[in-house]
């Protein structure tokens, strides 16, 4: 989200009246520490509606009266009664506590709407506004946001459906009243717009000063037709949320993004959960098929290239189509699959191509041994060599199986002549291995050329003997032979 090269710009008609650190400092001499007397909010509400704001949304919970300033509460109550565009939050508590609540859905119409006209009222565990005038507006909604398991706020819940009732968020209620498009699902992935803290913000103290001066009657183009959110970005008031854009983001910014997404139909679309599982399995099948046709060098590149390609596709789709196509699982599977396959191929290559240094020294210094070698031509490229190659390796640790032209190819696609050297401590041991090999190869080869008699040797690979065998086979016209 932070590194997108294409991202929509924030809607300029969404404006935040910001209770920021500067406002707290400017107003503390007159009103003291936050919360300030509520007549300040009443004056602000009246002024914003007078400026032609489309809506004034309070991101402030009015859960208690102010016993030290009853006249201020009365001023706010009067301003709400005269308002037609104000919206107020409700704190949604844990639904498991609904049965213990004395508040019902019928008490908070507008916050809760019946899906079925015949639905009976249900109990709701909530903290509603303390002012009856706010409840009577029916312009209510919860302002909760629910983080993911890792604590990051990626999704926004527009509404909850419970027993025939729909419980609205403040964003959903605002959208319904203003005629914004409504999605099919209540849970949506937030499309965080622009950079962090990118919405137009006007400090609270500035608006308060204007509303109390001769400038109050002058038009302010910033608020004409705007959706105005009154909330706090001051970190000392602790209304902060971790988001994909920043570890500490003001809660009012998250609310602004959700409202912007709903207004302009810009929530990020998501693949259904089963699509990710299906994609992962299809990817594994394709990787399994492709790995049988990859050269060794391509396989090693694929360890990084395939996961990177999958993540790049996901990134590009997010930028261009604003869809979240979750290919992380497929990328992880590809990384694991190709890493293990590369390690397995390397192990087999190391195992069948020679011995370790210590073993080679011991072999060179060991007593003379008996050996027998031959050149084998497989019937066709891709013939399965696994059974008899594995068998030869088990007969003796000193046996060698080398296929010319096989370097870098998958084992299933190797071609070319195969040179076998059987080694044993006695002549009878070597002849016994020879009989087993001829039995295995009876149905698997076109010809066996240049078979040597058993001779005494060191047990090391004789590359000159291999070369002479190939040349002799070529000159004798063995079918399908190669240089």
């Amino acid at each position: 989200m932070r590194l997108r090269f294409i991202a929509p710009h924030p809607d300029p008609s969404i404006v935040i009246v910001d209770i920021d650190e500067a406002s707290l400092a400017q107003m503390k001499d007159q009103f003291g520490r936050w919360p300030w007397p509520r007549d300040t909010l009443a004056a602000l509400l009246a002024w914003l509606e007078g400026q032609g704001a489309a809506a004034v949304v309070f991101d402030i919970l009015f859960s208690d009266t102010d016993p030290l300033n009853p006249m201020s509460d009365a001023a706010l109550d009067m301003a709400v009664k005269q308002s037609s565009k104000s919206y107020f939050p409700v704190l949604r508590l844990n639904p498991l506590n609904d049965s213990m609540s004395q508040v019902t859905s019928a008490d908070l119409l507008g916050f809760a709407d019946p899906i079925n006209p015949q639905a009976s009222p249900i109990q709701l565990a909530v903290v509603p506004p303390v002012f009856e005038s706010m409840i009577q507006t029916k312009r209510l909604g919860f302002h909760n946001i629910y983080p993911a398991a890792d604590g990051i706020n990626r999704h926004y819940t527009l509404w909850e459906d419970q027993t025939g009732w729909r419980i609205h968020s403040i964003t959903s209620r605002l959208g319904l009243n203003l005629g914004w498009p409504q999605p099919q699902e209540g849970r949506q992935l937030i499309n965080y717009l622009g950079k962090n803290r990118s919405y137009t913000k006007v400090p609270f103290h500035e608006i308060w000063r204007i509303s109390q001066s001769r400038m109050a009657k002058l038009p302010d183009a910033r608020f004409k037709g705007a959706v105005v959110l009154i909330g706090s970005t001051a970190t000392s008031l602790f209304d902060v949320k971790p988001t994909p854009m920043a570890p500490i983001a003001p809660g009012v910014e998250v609310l602004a993004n959700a409202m912007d997404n709903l207004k302009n139909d810009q929530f990020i679309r998501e693949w259904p959960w089963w699509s990710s599982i299906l994609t992962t399995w299809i990817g594994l099948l394709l990787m399994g098929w492709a790995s049988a046709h990859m050269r060794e060098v391509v396989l090693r590149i694929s360890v990084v290239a395939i996961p990177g390609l999958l993540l790049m596709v996901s990134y590009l789709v997010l930028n261009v189509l604003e869809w979240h196509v979750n290919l992380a699982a497929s990328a992880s599977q590809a990384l694991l699959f190709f890493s293990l396959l590369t390690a397995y191929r390397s192990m087999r290559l190391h195992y069948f191509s020679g011995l370790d240094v210590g073993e080679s020294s011991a072999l060179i210094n060991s007593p003379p041994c008996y050996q027998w070698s031959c050149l084998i031509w497989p019937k066709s490229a891709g013939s399965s060599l696994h059974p008899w190659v594995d068998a030869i390796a088990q007969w003796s640790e000193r046996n060698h199986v080398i296929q010319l032209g096989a370097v870098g190819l998958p084992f299933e696609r190797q071609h070319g002549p195969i040179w076998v050297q059987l080694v044993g401590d006695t002549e009878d041991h070597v002849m016994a291995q020879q009989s087993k090999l001829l039995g295995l190869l009876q149905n698997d080869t076109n010809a066996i050329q240049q078979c040597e008699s058993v001779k005494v040797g060191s047990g090391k690979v004789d590359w000159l003997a291999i070369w002479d065998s190939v040349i002799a086979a070529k000159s004798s016209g063995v079918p399908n032979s190669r240089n």
Side-chain angles (χ1 to χ4, degrees):
M1 290 297 294
R2 288 192 300 271
L3 299 178
R4 285 185 298 174
F5 58 86
I6 299 176
H9 294 289
D11 192 326
S13 67
I14 297 178
V15 180
I16 297 174
V17 174
D18 190 5
I19 304 170
D20 57 1
E21 297 290 355
S23 296
L24 295 177
Q26 289 281 340
M27 300 186 69
K28 68 178 181 179
D29 293 337
Q30 185 175 357
F31 298 109
R33 296 169 56 186
W34 178 265
W36 303 315
R38 287 168 175 165
D39 57 348
T40 58
L41 300 176
L44 191 65
L45 173 60
W47 185 83
L48 289 170
E49 289 207 15
Q51 289 292 328
V56 180
V57 182
F58 285 89
D59 191 21
I60 301 169
L61 185 64
F62 299 98
S63 58
D64 299 291
T65 59
D66 186 355
L68 299 179
N69 296 283
M71 297 303 294
S72 293
D73 280 4
L76 179 58
D77 187 57
M78 181 61 67
V80 172
K81 290 178 180 178
Q82 296 174 352
S83 168
S84 61
K85 300 177 181 178
S86 52
Y87 292 79
F88 305 95
V90 175
L91 179 62
R92 181 71 168 108
L93 302 178
N94 192 330
L96 296 177
N97 298 324
D98 283 350
S99 60
M100 297 183 287
S101 176
Q102 297 181 0
V103 180
T104 69
S105 54
D107 299 326
L108 296 174
L109 294 177
F111 172 67
D113 289 341
I115 300 174
N116 181 357
Q118 306 301 322
S120 301
I122 60 174
Q123 296 169 282
L124 294 174
V126 294
V127 178
V130 72
F131 295 97
E132 185 63 26
S133 59
M134 296 181 182
I135 296 176
Q136 292 302 318
T137 65
K138 297 182 181 180
R139 297 187 294 270
L140 305 171
F142 61 82
H143 65 158
N144 304 56
I145 183 168
Y146 303 100
D150 60 359
I152 306 300
N153 293 278
R154 299 184 179 89
H155 289 84
Y156 187 83
T157 303
L158 289 167
W159 63 75
E160 300 174 3
D161 290 339
Q162 291 192 10
T163 322
W165 289 81
R166 175 158 291 181
I167 315 302
H168 292 282
S169 69
I170 198 167
T171 300
S172 173
R173 173 48 58 195
L174 176 66
L176 287 171
N177 289 359
L178 296 184
W180 294 349
Q182 299 291 310
Q184 296 295 321
E185 302 292 334
R187 187 172 183 267
Q188 296 290 326
L189 185 59
I190 301 174
N191 188 359
Y192 285 96
L193 306 175
K195 296 182 179 179
N196 188 38
R197 305 194 179 192
S198 54
Y199 283 91
T200 301
K201 296 183 184 65
V202 183
F204 187 99
H205 71 87
E206 178 184 323
I207 302 302
W208 167 254
R209 179 179 52 81
I210 293 175
S211 68
Q212 301 302 303
S213 68
R214 294 180 180 180
M215 301 172 59
K217 295 183 179 181
L218 297 177
D220 192 326
R222 294 174 295 183
F223 301 103
K224 181 67 175 179
V227 174
V228 182
L229 279 70
I230 302 177
S232 171
T233 65
T235 54
S236 59
L237 297 184
F238 303 108
D239 183 19
V240 293
K241 314 285 183 186
T243 71
M245 306 298 286
I248 299 177
V252 70
E253 281 273 353
V254 179
L255 183 58
N257 275 278
M259 290 183 174
D260 196 340
N261 286 185
L262 182 61
K263 177 184 178 183
N264 298 293
D265 191 23
Q266 289 183 325
F267 284 111
I268 293 178
R269 275 66 174 176
E270 293 184 272
W271 271 16
W273 62 269
W274 55 265
S275 302
S276 298
I277 298 177
L278 181 62
T279 303
T280 300
W281 280 103
I282 292 176
L284 282 172
L285 292 175
L286 290 175
M287 285 184 281
W289 175 84
S291 64
H293 301 77
M294 286 182 177
R295 292 179 175 270
E296 195 73 25
V297 62
V298 177
L299 183 63
R300 292 176 181 176
I301 295 174
S302 299
V303 174
V304 176
I306 299 301
L309 177 63
L310 291 170
L311 294 178
M312 182 58 67
V313 168
S314 183
Y315 173 69
L316 292 176
V317 170
L318 177 65
N319 277 272
V320 178
L321 302 178
E322 294 187 350
W323 273 78
H324 175 46
V325 179
N326 186 4
L327 297 179
S330 298
S332 300
Q333 294 281 5
L335 179 63
L336 179 63
F337 178 86
F338 285 110
S339 297
L340 292 176
L341 188 59
T342 302
Y344 169 73
R345 290 268 186 90
S346 299
M347 179 194 71
R348 286 191 66 94
L349 182 62
H350 175 75
Y351 183 79
F352 288 113
S353 64
L355 301 173
D356 292 334
V357 175
E359 293 176 313
S360 299
S361 300
L363 184 61
I364 293 173
N365 297 323
S366 62
C369 57
Y370 292 85
Q371 64 183 33
W372 176 88
S373 60
C374 68
L375 191 69
I376 302 170
W377 296 87
K379 286 183 177 180
S380 61
S383 298
S384 178
L385 310 178
H386 292 79
W388 58 273
V389 167
D390 290 339
I392 292 172
Q394 294 174 3
W395 296 340
S396 172
E397 293 182 354
R398 292 181 286 180
N399 289 342
H400 293 87
V401 181
I402 300 172
Q403 184 165 24
L404 283 73
V407 177
L409 287 176
F411 200 73
E412 296 79 5
R413 296 180 58 198
Q414 295 173 2
H415 56 77
I418 302 168
W419 189 81
V420 179
Q421 177 178 280
L422 303 178
V423 181
D425 294 328
T426 65
E427 183 175 352
D428 291 341
H429 185 197
V430 173
M431 296 306 297
Q433 294 186 64
Q434 176 196 18
S435 298
K436 292 179 182 179
L437 176 61
L438 295 177
L440 289 172
L441 299 178
Q442 184 176 2
N443 299 318
D444 283 351
T445 59
N446 285 326
I448 298 178
Q449 297 291 328
Q450 295 297 99
C451 294
E452 298 180 356
S453 301
V454 177
K455 64 179 182 179
V456 178
S458 65
K460 295 186 292 183
V461 177
D462 188 348
W463 291 102
L464 289 177
I466 296 176
W467 179 252
D468 292 341
S469 298
V470 174
I471 295 300
K474 176 68 175 177
S475 60
S476 62
V478 175
N480 299 322
S481 61
R482 300 173 185 268
N483 289 329

